Amino acid sequence: MFRRMLLSVLVRQKKKLFLIALTVALGVSLATAMLNVMFDVGDKVNQELKAYGANLNIVPKGAALVNELYQLDDKQDAIQYIKQDDLVKIKMIFWAYNIVDFAPYLTTQVMVNGKPVTLVGTWFNKHLTIPTGDEVDTGMLAMKSWWSIEGNTMKDDNLQGVMVGEAIAKQLNLKLGDSIELTSSTQKITLTVNNIFHSGGVEDNELYVSLPVAQNLANKVGLVERVEVSALTTPENDLARKAAQDPNSLSRTEWDTWYCTAYISSIAYQLEELMPDVRVKAIMQVAESEGSILQKTQLLMLLLTILSLICSALAISNLVTANVIERSTEIGLLKALGATNTSVAMLILTEILIIALLGGIVGYFIGLGFAQIIGQTVFGSFVEPKMIIVPLVLIMVSLITLLGSMPALRIMMFLRPTDVLHGR
C-alpha cells in the first residue's frame, strides 16, 4: 500500500518534484565543485605562489646568521662556501618531490669601464641527473618568472653571454649584442650582452652569468655561496612552531608527524641532515603568506559551500510546503482513515528523499564539471576528484532535504481532517 501511494505521488506530482530535484542538483553541484577545489587547492595555491620566489635559503654554516629554526649550538669550523657537487642532495631528501626549483649563486666583484660592479654566477635552467636515477631541470629563470627579460633565453652552456640589469645597462649605455669587458683580480674577459632584464630590485644593478664563468673569475671553481630553494609546503601550525624552536622537545609521535609532513621547518631540517656543512634558513614572510592565503582561500570555498546548501534548503522548504498545502485534502483524508502523523511524514519524506537523491547524483557530476572549469580557468590545471566528496554529497542531500522539509512537516502535523475535508 505504501509503495503504491508513493509511486502514485511520484507520477502525479512530477512537475513539482522535478523542481525539487533541480534545486538539489544546483546546490549539490556548487557544493561539489567548491569542496573538490578546496581539497585540491592547497598544492595549486602553493604552486602558484612558487612563481614569486624562494622560501628557503641555504648558506654555508660558517656564514650563517643565528639559526631561526632550531637554535642549535654551532661548534664546527666555519665553512664559507658550499660544494657544487653537494647540490644534488637537495633532491634526495624525504620531501624531494616538494622541491620545485633551486638555484645556486656565487657573487664576485668585477670592474667594468673602471666602475665596480657585482657579478653573480648561477644556473639558468640546469639539467641534473640525481643519484637516485631521477632527472630534473632547475634554475633561476623558473624562480624569477616575474622578471621582464629582453633577448633570447640564457643557457647554462653559454659561457660568452651575460644578463645585464636594467640600471647597469642604462649607466653603461648597453644594448643587446654589445660587448662588455669584465676585469677581476685574476683575469680579464669579454662577454656579449645576451639579455637586459628588469627585476624591480637590487638585481637591476647586477650582472648574471653562467656559474662556471663566475667561479673562474672568483677563483672558486666547484664552489657556490648560497642556494635559493622553492618548496611546496604545508602551512605552519602549533606543532611546526614547536619543532622550529627545538625538535628535541617533540615526543616520538609528534616527531614522526612533523618529520613526515611538508612543513617548511621539517624540509629545512632534512636538508641540514643531508648537508651537515650548511644552514637552511626559512624565509618566513613567504612561508607565512602562503599559509595565510591558503587558509583564506579554503575558508572562502567552505563559506560558498555552506551558503549554497542554505539557499537550497530554503528553496526546498518553499517547494515542499507548497506541495503539502496543495495536497492538504489528500493528507486530511489519510488522517481520517487512520494514518498517523508519523506515517504521513514518512510518506512525504520518502518521496522527497528519492527525488533529492536523484538530483544529488546529477548535481555531483555537474559539480565535477564545474570543478574542472574552475581548475582550468584559475589554476590552468586539472582538479583531481576526491572520493571523500561522495559520502559528503549523501550527507548534504539528506541534510538539506530534512531541513527544507521541516516547515512543511510542521504544517502537515497541525492539519485537522475535519477542517480540510469541509474546505476550511
Side-chain angles (χ1 to χ4, degrees):
M1 183 66 177
F2 182 84
R3 184 168 57 185
R4 283 195 310 179
M5 292 178 63
L6 184 62
L7 290 174
S8 174
V9 171
L10 292 177
V11 172
R12 287 186 293 106
Q13 300 286 326
K14 54 181 178 292
K15 289 185 178 180
K16 283 189 172 57
L17 294 179
F18 172 76
L19 290 177
I20 293 174
L22 181 61
T23 301
V24 173
L26 291 175
V28 169
S29 64
L30 181 57
T32 299
M34 291 298 100
L35 288 174
N36 270 290
V37 174
M38 186 180 76
F39 283 119
D40 199 53
V41 76
D43 288 346
K44 287 179 169 51
V45 169
N46 270 320
Q47 188 71 52
E48 289 291 320
L49 291 171
K50 289 298 149 293
Y52 299 101
N55 52 3
L56 288 167
N57 198 24
I58 302 177
V59 295
K61 183 175 289 187
L65 298 175
V66 176
N67 192 298
E68 293 183 357
L69 289 175
Y70 311 117
Q71 299 179 353
L72 301 177
D73 292 333
D74 187 358
K75 298 180 180 179
Q76 299 187 18
D77 293 335
I79 300 171
Q80 298 300 324
Y81 293 95
I82 303 170
K83 294 180 180 178
Q84 181 178 326
D85 293 341
D86 288 343
L87 300 186
V88 292
K89 294 179 181 179
I90 294 173
K91 291 290 288 183
M92 294 170 63
I93 63 171
F94 180 82
W95 289 107
Y97 290 106
N98 281 53
I99 304 295
V100 179
D101 285 299
F102 62 94
Y105 298 91
L106 179 66
T107 303
T108 187
Q109 293 294 317
V110 296
M111 300 297 292
V112 179
N113 294 344
K115 297 180 180 180
V117 178
T118 300
L119 179 103
V120 182
T122 188
W123 289 343
F124 297 104
N125 188 26
K126 183 76 170 178
H127 183 79
L128 293 177
T129 301
I130 310 301
T132 57
D134 294 329
E135 296 185 358
V136 298
D137 291 308
T138 187
M140 183 197 72
L141 293 180
M143 296 176 63
K144 311 289 187 183
S145 59
W146 70 91
W147 284 14
S148 175
I149 302 175
E150 297 179 38
N152 297 324
T153 302
M154 187 71 170
K155 305 291 185 182
D156 286 287
D157 58 0
N158 184 355
L159 305 183
Q160 288 76 43
V162 57
M163 290 181 65
V164 181
E166 184 179 59
I168 290 293
K170 289 181 179 179
Q171 290 178 20
L172 302 178
N173 195 27
L174 295 173
K175 301 182 296 296
L176 294 179
D178 288 353
S179 295
I180 179 172
E181 189 176 79
L182 310 179
T183 304
S184 71
S185 58
T186 58
Q187 58 182 294
K188 179 186 296 185
I189 62 171
T190 300
L191 301 177
T192 301
V193 178
N194 191 82
N195 304 99
I196 296 175
F197 66 87
H198 171 73
S199 69
V202 296
E203 295 89 349
D204 288 340
N205 293 295
E206 298 173 343
L207 306 176
Y208 280 77
V209 295
S210 295
L211 186 57
V213 176
Q215 289 172 333
N216 287 330
L217 286 171
N219 197 25
K220 302 294 180 184
V221 177
L223 301 175
V224 300
E225 204 170 44
R226 61 185 178 89
V227 185
E228 289 185 351
V229 179
S230 180
L232 296 175
T233 60
T234 299
E236 297 284 285
N237 58 13
D238 291 338
L239 175 61
R241 284 185 280 271
K242 180 180 178 182
Q245 294 297 319
D246 182 10
N248 297 321
S249 66
L250 301 179
S251 66
R252 186 62 196 177
T253 302
E254 289 176 329
W255 172 275
D256 291 340
T257 302
W258 170 70
Y259 195 87
C260 296
T261 305
Y263 297 122
I264 193 167
S265 54
S266 64
I267 292 176
Y269 186 87
Q270 290 171 29
L271 287 169
E272 289 190 2
E273 274 188 320
L274 212 56
M275 304 170 68
D277 293 333
V278 305
R279 280 284 181 260
V280 183
K281 184 178 179 182
I283 304 174
M284 295 309 296
Q285 295 93 329
V286 176
E288 289 174 359
S289 296
E290 290 174 2
S292 176
I293 292 171
L294 178 58
Q295 288 172 350
K296 290 177 181 178
T297 303
Q298 290 177 327
L299 178 60
L300 175 62
M301 300 285 183
L302 185 60
L303 289 175
L304 287 174
T305 300
I306 293 172
L307 288 174
S308 70
L309 295 178
I310 292 174
C311 291
S312 295
L314 291 173
I316 290 174
S317 176
N318 291 331
L319 291 170
V320 176
T321 299
N323 188 37
V324 168
I325 293 173
E326 184 179 317
R327 295 166 58 192
S328 58
T329 303
E330 175 190 339
I331 294 171
L333 182 57
L334 287 172
K335 286 188 175 186
L337 292 173
T340 63
N341 283 332
T342 302
S343 59
V344 176
M346 287 297 297
L347 175 64
I348 295 173
L349 280 177
T350 302
E351 64 190 49
I352 299 303
L353 281 172
I354 290 173
I355 294 302
L357 182 60
L358 293 174
I361 293 172
V362 174
Y364 172 76
F365 289 103
I366 294 175
L368 292 181
F370 284 162
Q372 301 314 316
I373 294 173
I374 294 171
Q376 293 294 334
T377 304
V378 179
F379 302 107
S381 62
F382 176 77
V383 174
E384 182 181 354
K386 306 295 182 181
M387 290 306 298
I388 193 175
I389 304 298
V390 176
L392 288 178
V393 166
L394 293 175
I395 294 172
M396 286 187 295
V397 169
S398 302
L399 187 63
I400 63 177
T401 302
L402 291 173
L403 291 177
S405 302
M406 292 302 289
L409 293 178
R410 185 173 180 274
I411 292 173
M412 179 275 299
M413 291 178 67
F414 287 99
L415 280 177
R416 293 190 297 179
T418 54
D419 292 339
V420 174
L421 295 176
H422 286 86
R424 296 197 295 269

